[in-house]
């Protein structure tokens, strides 16, 4: 799997994040699952598995949110827990 660098949106250190949070409105990304579904991901699969099987699609969605003005991007790990992953034979 290749490393995907979207672009530097803000500094990574905690002090800068807290300052930005105090001084401005930060915009977060949106519904990753909805976007993956719209791109053809099936509901009978764990969307978290796409991080390894189709990282380009996940990165493209992140890139689209950044391009739309998102300051904060969350990982595609919403349902990455033992119970859900076990249902899909993953862990």
């Amino acid at each position: 799997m290749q490393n995907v660098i979207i672009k530097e949106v803000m500094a990574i250190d905690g002090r800068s994040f807290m300052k930005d949070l105090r001084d401005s409105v930060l915009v977060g990304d949106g519904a990753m699952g909805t976007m993956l579904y719209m791109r053809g991901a099936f509901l009978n699969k764990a969307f978290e598995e796409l991080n390894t099987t189709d990282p380009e699609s996940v990165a493209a969605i992140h890139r689209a949110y950044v391009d739309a003005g998102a300051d904060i991007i969350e990982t595609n790990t919403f349902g990455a827990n033992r119970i859900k992953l076990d249902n899909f034979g993953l862990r």
Side-chain angles (χ1 to χ4, degrees), residues 20-27 71:
D20 289 342
L21 191 58
R22 275 191 307 275
D23 296 345
S24 62
V25 174
L26 300 179
V27 176
D71 300 302

Side-chain angles (χ1 to χ4, degrees), residues 3 9 13-14 24 33 38 42 55 58 61 65 68 80 91:
N3 290 334
V9 178
D13 70 74
S24 62
M38 289 174 55
F42 295 106
V58 175
I61 293 168
Y65 279 121
R91 197 157 44 135

Side-chain angles (χ1 to χ4, degrees), residues 48-61:
E48 297 76 16
E49 184 178 14
L50 296 173
N51 294 334
T52 58
T53 61
D54 191 6
E56 293 81 15
S57 288
V58 175
I61 293 168

Side-chain angles (χ1 to χ4, degrees), residues 14-86:
R15 278 186 268 144
S16 177
F17 173 75
M18 293 307 292
K19 181 180 181 324
D20 289 342
L21 191 58
R22 275 191 307 275
D23 296 345
S24 62
V25 174
L26 300 179
V27 176
D29 62 3
M32 176 62 82
T34 301
M35 296 298 288
L36 288 167
Y37 179 72
M38 289 174 55
R39 288 176 168 263
F42 295 106
L43 293 175
N44 64 345
K45 295 195 74 152
F47 287 171
E48 297 76 16
E49 184 178 14
L50 296 173
N51 294 334
T52 58
T53 61
D54 191 6
E56 293 81 15
S57 288
V58 175
I61 293 168
H62 286 310
R63 190 174 301 108
Y65 279 121
V66 169
D67 290 346
D71 300 302
I72 300 169
I73 301 297
E74 297 181 83
T75 61
N76 179 36
T77 55
F78 180 79
N81 62 68
R82 181 179 301 163
I83 295 168
K84 181 178 177 188
L85 295 178
D86 274 350

